[in-house]
Amino acid sequence: MRRIPVPSETMEIDKGHNLPAIEDNAYKLQNKASQLRKRIGFGFAIGFGCGGVVLAGGWVFTVALAATVFVGSREYFELVRSHGITAGMTPPPRYVSRVCSVICALMPIFTLYLGQIDIPVTFSAFVVAIALLLQRGNPRFAQLSSAIFGLFYCGYLPCFWVKLRCVLAAPALNTALGAAWPVLLGGQAHWTVGLVATLISISSIIAADTYAFMGGKAFGRTPLTSISPKKTWEGTLWGLGGCVATTVILSKIFSWPTSSLSAIAFGVLNFLGSVFGDLTESMIKRDAGVKDSGSLIPGHGGILDRVDSYIFTGALAYSFVKIILPLYGI
């Protein structure tokens, strides 16, 4: 005769079945909390380190940027060799990828030394093209296009940060903070237009990412693009507002740019550069079939995952200071 379990026994059986699920959920929450702490900790460390490098300028800034460019270019060419991309194209040979990474790392140094690197970049692209065209086997256009884009994306574009920070050496005479800067650290002459513009640009990009994340989490409903499904129009608008507001506030603190209209325009340019830089890397990762460009930074992924918002922004910020401000005088 079958025995019918009493209610207390049924509850014990249910608890026994639910216990593994509860433990699994607890483990997932603990793991997420650990990842968040790690992400925040490394984020602050990276932020303070970058702040010190930007303030130092010169060779310190340039060498740090060159090292970042080298690692980022290695990640880019590994993405090009990922299964998701190689299924539809032929990647460059490894020796070409390695040579391109070295060339990219040298570009910021040549920019500091020469001021302009148009001729060296053109010559480097010519040498890479010859190496690919004369290789054994069957050269493919995809090899040439991915290698040349790598030189442009990973090497040439980041050089504008060197131009912005180190080459624009005009003093920011109206900077109140500069007037109180210690003489042992360079005094007021240390505070140039390039330094102020770099600090504002980097800070506004951080604000754009932060506000976009918070706005997307709280109000995100409308997808921005299929390239990055998690991004929404609501989060993007929050990011734009945070970026412009940060630029305007910092412009009042640093007394540059002198007008609110200039500060707003600068903020909009920084935001556009950060968004399209982020989307460009997302497109590359999507085609490669990977979530992160690498695993170098715990909780953050690879170098490209952290600097994608800055790749195009340096060129836009430099153009704003060098061309737009003198042209329109706003």
Side-chain angles (χ1 to χ4, degrees):
M1 182 175 179
R2 183 184 177 189
R3 179 176 176 272
I4 299 175
V6 296
S8 60
E9 292 177 339
T10 304
M11 292 176 63
E12 289 177 1
I13 294 173
D14 289 341
K15 288 180 180 178
H17 283 295
N18 290 335
L19 187 59
I22 294 174
E23 290 179 348
D24 185 54
N25 289 334
Y27 174 77
K28 288 181 179 179
L29 290 174
Q30 186 179 4
N31 187 48
K32 285 184 178 180
S34 176
Q35 289 292 332
L36 181 61
R37 288 194 297 269
K38 189 181 296 184
R39 183 182 180 90
I40 293 174
F42 275 91
F44 274 109
I46 293 171
F48 281 114
C50 290
V53 168
V54 171
L55 284 174
W59 281 103
V60 175
F61 178 82
T62 305
V63 171
L65 181 63
T68 303
V69 164
F70 178 76
V71 178
S73 61
R74 295 297 302 138
E75 290 181 354
Y76 165 80
F77 283 106
E78 285 302 315
L79 288 175
V80 171
R81 301 188 68 87
S82 298
H83 177 71
I85 291 182
T86 55
M89 60 164 276
T90 304
R94 285 195 179 275
Y95 76 91
V96 173
S97 300
R98 290 165 181 164
V99 169
C100 286
S101 296
V102 173
I103 293 173
C104 288
L106 291 175
M107 286 185 189
I109 297 174
F110 277 106
T111 301
L112 180 66
Y113 182 71
L114 300 175
Q116 297 290 337
I117 59 168
D118 296 338
I119 295 177
V121 169
T122 304
F123 179 76
S124 300
F126 177 67
V127 171
V128 170
I130 290 177
L132 289 171
L133 292 173
L134 297 182
Q135 66 177 305
R136 294 180 180 179
N138 186 22
R140 305 299 297 269
F141 174 71
Q143 296 176 314
L144 180 63
S145 59
S146 59
I148 298 301
F149 180 76
L151 291 176
F152 172 76
Y153 181 71
C154 300
Y156 181 70
L157 286 176
C159 290
F160 281 95
W161 285 107
V162 177
K163 290 185 177 183
L164 182 68
R165 170 62 185 94
C166 304
V167 177
L168 292 179
L173 297 177
N174 296 324
T175 303
L177 182 60
W181 192 251
V183 177
L184 292 177
L185 297 178
Q188 187 172 359
H190 182 75
W191 286 82
T192 62
V193 170
L195 171 57
V196 172
T198 302
L199 289 174
I200 292 177
S201 185
I202 291 176
S203 300
S204 65
I205 294 171
I206 295 173
D209 290 342
T210 304
Y211 278 90
F213 175 78
M214 294 190 302
K217 282 288 186 181
F219 307 105
R221 297 292 184 274
T222 311
L224 177 65
T225 172
S226 60
I227 295 175
S228 185
K230 291 185 178 180
K231 288 183 172 56
T232 62
W233 277 105
E234 292 81 2
T236 301
L237 292 176
W238 268 72
L240 174 61
C243 182
V244 172
T246 300
T247 304
V248 172
I249 292 172
L250 291 178
S251 71
K252 301 302 180 184
I253 295 175
F254 291 120
S255 299
W256 185 95
T258 55
S259 73
S260 298
L261 182 60
S262 299
I264 292 173
F266 193 41
V268 171
L269 276 181
N270 286 325
F271 177 75
L272 291 176
S274 68
V275 168
F276 285 101
D278 191 353
L279 291 178
T280 299
E281 201 232 354
S282 295
M283 180 175 61
I284 297 173
K285 290 190 297 183
R286 184 196 63 179
D287 286 355
V290 298
K291 180 182 177 182
D292 297 320
S293 64
S295 57
L296 180 65
I297 310 173
H300 290 261
I303 285 290
L304 282 180
D305 295 318
R306 291 301 91 208
V307 303
D308 54 1
S309 298
Y310 300 85
I311 292 178
F312 289 101
T313 315
L316 294 177
Y318 178 80
S319 300
F320 176 83
V321 178
K322 193 72 174 177
I323 300 174
I324 297 178
L325 277 183
L327 184 62
Y328 293 100
I330 56 176

mmCIF file of all heavy atoms in Angstrom, residues 24 74 321:
data_model
loop_
_atom_site.group_PDB
_atom_site.id
_atom_site.type_symbol
_atom_site.label_atom_id
_atom_site.label_comp_id
_atom_site.label_asym_id
_atom_site.label_seq_id
_atom_site.Cartn_x
_atom_site.Cartn_y
_atom_site.Cartn_z
ATOM 1 N N ASP A 24 22.859 28.289 -5.964
ATOM 2 C CA ASP A 24 23.353 28.759 -7.257
ATOM 3 C C ASP A 24 23.086 30.245 -7.431
ATOM 4 O O ASP A 24 23.955 30.994 -7.896
ATOM 5 C CB ASP A 24 22.680 27.967 -8.377
ATOM 6 C CG ASP A 24 23.251 28.329 -9.738
ATOM 7 O OD1 ASP A 24 24.479 28.255 -9.898
ATOM 8 O OD2 ASP A 24 22.465 28.695 -10.645
ATOM 9 N N ARG A 74 47.567 45.078 -30.790
ATOM 10 C CA ARG A 74 47.664 43.617 -30.721
ATOM 11 C C ARG A 74 46.276 43.012 -30.544
ATOM 12 O O ARG A 74 45.947 41.993 -31.152
ATOM 13 C CB ARG A 74 48.578 43.197 -29.561
ATOM 14 C CG ARG A 74 50.031 43.607 -29.697
ATOM 15 C CD ARG A 74 50.707 42.960 -30.893
ATOM 16 N NE ARG A 74 50.662 41.518 -30.827
ATOM 17 C CZ ARG A 74 50.394 40.723 -31.860
ATOM 18 N NH1 ARG A 74 50.093 41.248 -33.043
ATOM 19 N NH2 ARG A 74 50.392 39.426 -31.718
ATOM 20 N N VAL A 321 40.066 72.823 -31.215
ATOM 21 C CA VAL A 321 40.979 73.836 -30.668
ATOM 22 C C VAL A 321 41.782 74.508 -31.767
ATOM 23 O O VAL A 321 41.990 75.731 -31.741
ATOM 24 C CB VAL A 321 41.925 73.193 -29.633
ATOM 25 C CG1 VAL A 321 42.912 74.230 -29.095
ATOM 26 C CG2 VAL A 321 41.127 72.583 -28.494
#
